[in-house]
Amino acid sequence: MKGLGELERSIMDILWAESTALTAREVGKLIADRDLAPTTVMTVLDRLTRKGFLERTRDGRAWRYQPAESRDAYIAELMLEALDLTGDRSAALTRFAQAVSGTEAEILRRALTELEDE
C-alpha cells in the first residue's frame, strides 16, 4: 500500500469523516484551511482513486468519491507494513505490546481470543 502525502491525507480525513460520498466541489469546500483550485482537488481525488484509496461513482456530470476502506483498515495496513521493515517481527511485536496501555492490551487480548475461537 502506498503512503499518503499531506494533501492526500487531508482529503482522506474529510472523506473518512463523512457518511456519504462527496463530489470534488464538496471536498474543496470542506478544506477550509487551504485555498485550492478545484482542478487541484480533482487531481488529488483522481490520484487517490488510482492508488486504490477511493472508489468513485458517476452522479450526473460529477463523480462522487468515498473511501475504499475505513481509516482503521488503512492504519492496520500501515502497522503491518512497519512490521515488514523489521528483521525481527517478534521483537517488534513484543516491544509494541509493552508500550500499549492496559486497556489497549485487553482489546488486543480479546481480538486474539476471538480469532482463536473462529
Side-chain angles (χ1 to χ4, degrees):
M1 174 179 286
K2 296 176 181 166
L4 295 171
E6 181 185 341
L7 181 54
E8 291 174 327
R9 196 169 38 254
S10 295
I11 288 176
M12 286 304 300
D13 284 340
I14 288 168
L15 290 165
W16 276 320
E18 294 296 318
S19 59
T20 61
L22 300 177
T23 64
R25 182 180 305 254
E26 292 167 334
V27 171
K29 287 179 183 177
L30 292 172
I31 301 177
D33 60 336
R34 297 177 184 252
D35 185 25
L36 298 174
T39 54
T40 300
V41 175
M42 287 187 287
T43 298
V44 174
L45 289 167
D46 183 59
R47 188 178 331 135
L48 287 166
T49 301
R50 282 186 276 115
K51 285 183 173 183
F53 286 99
L54 296 177
E55 296 173 347
R56 68 182 182 183
T57 54
R58 189 57 96 167
D59 183 10
R61 294 180 57 197
W63 289 104
R64 290 204 166 270
Y65 297 88
Q66 64 187 26
E69 293 192 43
S70 69
R71 181 192 318 259
D72 294 339
Y74 171 66
I75 298 301
E77 187 66 29
L78 287 178
M79 293 168 70
L80 289 170
E81 286 180 10
L83 276 175
D84 287 341
L85 296 175
T86 181
D88 187 349
R89 287 178 73 115
S90 294
L93 284 168
T94 300
R95 178 77 174 153
F96 178 77
Q98 292 168 340
V100 298
S101 71
T103 303
E104 293 165 334
E106 183 55 37
I107 292 168
L108 286 171
R109 253 186 236 100
R110 270 190 306 231
L112 292 170
T113 299
E114 288 174 14
L115 286 173
E116 288 174 351
D117 292 344
E118 288 181 356

